[in-house]
Amino acid sequence: MAQTMTQMQSSFAGQSVTRLSVRPRQSAQIARRSTPRAAITLPNPPFELDALEGQGLSKATMEVHWGKHHRTYVDNLNKQIEGKPLADKSLEEIIQATWNNGSPSAEFNNAAQTWNHTFYWESIGPNGGGPPTGAIAQAIDNDLGGYEEFKKSFTQAGATQFGSGWAWLVLDGGKLKVTKTPNAENPLHHGQTPLLTMDVWEHAYYIDVQNRRPDQVNIKSSGRRKLDRCAAWRSLANESQKRLIEAPDWASEKRQAHAIMMAHIPPTVPLPKSFSWVESI
Amino acid sequence: MAYSLPKLPYDYSALEPHIDATTMQIHHSKHHQTYVTNVNNAVQKFPELNGLGMEDLNSAVGTSKIPAEIATAVRNSGGGHYNHSFFWKVMGAPGGNNGPSAELKSAIDSSFGSLDELKAKFNAAAAARFGSGWAWLTSQDGKLAISSTPNQDNPQQALAETKGVPLLGLDVWEHAYYLKARLLLSHEPPQVSQSCETSQPFCRDVSQLMIMSL
Ligand SMILES: [Fe+2]
Ligand SMILES: [Fe+2]
């Protein structure tokens, strides 16, 4: 089950980079050489759009959420940064620059939402769910009082983020924390490293569960236990778990892998086979 | 005396085809009811707030009249109750009446140039609200203004950037249009998205319903 760095990287981007087999360090050099950077692109989710139907997340939601919401954030960001110095920066640099110490400029919402959604697709998956194992489980025991307590506070964070926003599991100063952010804000510009997220904008769950937001996050009685059933602990598994504990800069490696992935996706990402916007509804 | 969910002044299906009956039913009986329940839960611990009307409660949001312990709950759920109660009242069945009165029409013309200009500005304010919120037409000291607020804030609250008496309020939370938007969009190529852009057909439709009711 050991997951190599290369596989991890692939899973960030979905099908479009599964053949990318360069080591992170080499690709970092390639990324540096290839300026100006290509436009920010829409990565495919690392699973088919109907893959989570059995886990409470419908294909219709995925099609609108990824195919329209996420895509629009990407398209609008590219329009906003075209021809500006921001266009030469990585997505994370754009987020940091446009956050502007809490007085965000116009590009911030689209940049952060582009990042947040990519990260959300990585946070859920058809092979996800169940209690985590290994080092991440140990860290949850140590810092958050165990998996059951973690689920309670993560669900609480998602349910009480009034309006639109996100619930997060983050690494903050070497410790795990559960947090929530409004609208497009994310943990990066608060100096934290995101590990897992849940989208609690109404568009993320309204087709599936309407006003019952806790069902989006986690509720046992509902049968739609997203966190229990979808949390992609395996993307945090094995090798990465060891890094989480042993190497404080594991998180920055994950971020670097992200940046590399972003720099290498061709501008037009093909739609996955299951995408059938008009026919499906 | 607890706040209660007002009856709609029309049937859930009355605003079809602009707002579908399912959306109206969930919006009124679930979302609005939750705000009523939560604001009651918050204020019942403080007898000094007992008997305060919805408008006075909202005017107190952002002042020390609301105890810190329940400030957020009153702002959010008191705001939600006020906003939704207002929203139901300013909409009406299509073709239900003849538009603004002569007096209001002349105020609109002098503030915005024309009713069409007002609509364009109002819809733009709604579309520009990122995340959840409301678009408003308000009157203050005889002047009309268009603004928007985040979440369940409103122009009545002391913390509002643009204060005034609301004349129109448009809910641009995704719950206000998401089921309908999905139906609408199924007939369109995937080009519009994001809360505000998805809501534009809704904004146009609904502001029409509201402006006819002025
Ligand atoms: Fe989303
Ligand atoms: Fe609403």
Side-chain angles (χ1 to χ4, degrees):
Chain A
M1 286 295 286
Q3 198 177 24
T4 67
M5 192 61 201
T6 305
Q7 281 165 336
M8 255 180 62
Q9 234 174 293
S10 309
S11 75
F12 288 142
Q15 297 100 310
S16 62
V17 290
T18 45
R19 285 185 300 277
L20 180 66
S21 60
V22 286
R23 302 286 304 161
R25 202 150 289 168
Q26 289 168 324
S27 51
Q29 283 160 5
I30 293 166
R32 270 197 296 278
R33 276 202 305 272
S34 58
T35 50
R37 199 183 39 71
I40 304 290
T41 53
L42 177 72
N44 292 352
F47 45 82
E48 293 289 314
L49 297 183
D50 59 1
L52 296 172
E53 286 258 347
Q55 285 146 287
L57 187 55
S58 69
K59 182 182 173 192
T61 293
M62 282 303 300
E63 287 184 337
V64 186
H65 201 174
W66 171 77
K68 296 169 77 67
H69 289 270
H70 195 181
R71 182 181 304 272
T72 304
Y73 293 127
V74 173
D75 290 349
N76 287 348
L77 177 62
N78 281 322
K79 272 181 233 155
Q80 284 175 317
I81 64 177
E82 194 181 356
K84 294 185 191 162
L86 280 179
D88 298 327
K89 295 188 186 298
S90 72
L91 183 58
E92 291 204 9
E93 288 168 338
I94 296 172
I95 291 172
Q96 298 291 9
T98 58
W99 171 244
N100 194 23
N101 296 318
S103 311
S105 58
E107 304 87 354
F108 172 78
N109 286 338
N110 288 317
Q113 285 293 76
T114 295
W115 194 96
N116 293 347
H117 282 87
T118 302
F119 193 77
Y120 177 47
W121 312 137
E122 294 166 14
S123 291
I124 54 178
N127 301 319
T133 55
I136 185 74
Q138 191 62 54
I140 286 175
D141 284 347
N142 293 345
D143 298 343
L144 302 174
Y147 180 60
E148 289 303 319
E149 279 304 307
F150 157 69
K151 276 200 294 186
K152 261 188 237 160
S153 48
F154 192 83
T155 305
Q156 174 79 356
T160 58
Q161 175 55 54
F162 193 73
S164 303
W166 299 81
W168 303 89
L169 172 67
V170 302
L171 194 58
D172 185 4
K175 288 237 175 231
L176 295 185
K177 269 189 195 157
V178 170
T179 65
K180 57 185 176 179
T181 58
N183 297 331
E185 282 187 36
N186 80 27
L188 291 173
H189 51 79
H190 296 301
Q192 301 163 329
T193 302
L195 299 176
L196 196 75
T197 194
M198 185 61 71
D199 189 343
V200 293
W201 283 60
E202 288 175 324
H203 67 234
Y205 58 86
Y206 214 74
I207 291 171
D208 296 339
V209 296
Q210 292 83 50
N211 60 305
R212 303 186 300 280
R213 183 190 288 190
D215 290 7
Q216 157 74 353
V217 193
N218 199 40
I219 258 196
K220 280 199 166 166
S221 58
S222 71
R224 290 187 187 275
R225 295 165 291 170
K226 287 263 170 67
L227 182 65
D228 261 354
R229 302 174 72 183
C230 303
W233 297 114
R234 262 168 240 189
S235 76
L236 295 173
N238 299 320
E239 188 146 350
S240 58
Q241 288 180 17
K242 269 186 247 139
R243 289 163 188 271
L244 177 67
I245 301 306
E246 290 161 12
D249 66 341
W250 168 76
S252 72
E253 277 190 49
K254 180 168 176 173
R255 290 211 295 268
Q256 194 194 13
H258 240 296
I260 293 162
M261 175 270 286
M262 288 299 194
H264 281 267
I265 301 177
T268 308
V269 179
L271 299 176
K273 279 188 222 85
S274 66
F275 189 84
S276 54
W277 170 255
V278 176
E279 303 89 88
S280 70
I281 296 180
Chain B
M1 195 181 58
Y3 301 110
S4 61
L5 184 69
K7 279 217 170 73
L8 283 191
Y10 35 72
D11 291 341
Y12 286 137
S13 60
L15 306 180
E16 299 258 14
H18 303 285
I19 307 180
D20 60 284
T22 309
T23 295
M24 286 300 291
Q25 190 197 338
I26 299 172
H27 203 170
H28 176 255
S29 70
K30 304 286 186 189
H31 289 276
H32 191 171
Q33 179 61 60
T34 302
Y35 294 125
V36 172
T37 305
N38 289 345
V39 70
N40 282 332
N41 287 343
V43 300
Q44 71 180 6
K45 300 165 209 156
F46 296 90
E48 68 267 32
L49 299 176
N50 215 329
L52 212 55
M54 205 10 67
E55 291 197 3
D56 290 337
L57 186 73
N58 271 271
S59 302
V61 167
T63 75
S64 57
K65 280 183 220 153
I66 308 289
E69 186 192 330
I70 57 165
T72 303
V74 171
R75 176 182 183 174
N76 292 343
S77 297
H81 179 33
Y82 175 95
N83 295 347
H84 286 86
S85 301
F86 184 70
F87 187 46
W88 312 135
K89 280 195 279 190
V90 296
M91 289 191 292
N97 67 51
N98 301 317
S101 65
E103 194 189 349
L104 180 57
K105 179 80 170 52
S106 92
I108 288 170
D109 288 347
S110 70
S111 296
F112 302 105
S114 68
L115 188 57
D116 281 344
E117 273 297 297
L118 178 153
K119 277 195 254 181
K121 288 212 174 89
F122 187 84
N123 286 338
R129 169 52 55 192
F130 185 78
S132 304
W134 290 74
W136 301 97
L137 172 68
T138 55
S139 167
Q140 178 82 311
D141 304 326
K143 284 206 61 131
L144 299 183
I146 284 167
S147 64
S148 79
T149 54
N151 300 324
Q152 295 296 354
D153 291 358
N154 63 54
Q156 186 81 29
Q157 297 177 344
L159 46 73
E161 234 166 75
T162 304
K163 282 186 271 297
V165 179
L167 301 178
L168 292 178
L170 175 61
D171 189 345
V172 290
W173 283 58
E174 289 169 325
H175 67 233
Y177 60 83
Y178 211 72
L179 300 177
K180 171 75 189 281
R182 178 185 165 229
L183 297 174
L184 277 179
L185 293 170
S186 66
H187 303 297
E188 292 173 7
Q191 50 188 6
V192 288
S193 179
Q194 197 177 322
S195 60
C196 296
E197 288 183 40
T198 316
S199 72
Q200 275 174 353
F202 171 83
C203 294
R204 279 196 305 273
D205 275 5
V206 174
S207 62
Q208 188 62 43
L209 290 177
M210 293 191 300
I211 284 157
M212 289 189 314
S213 316
L214 267 175

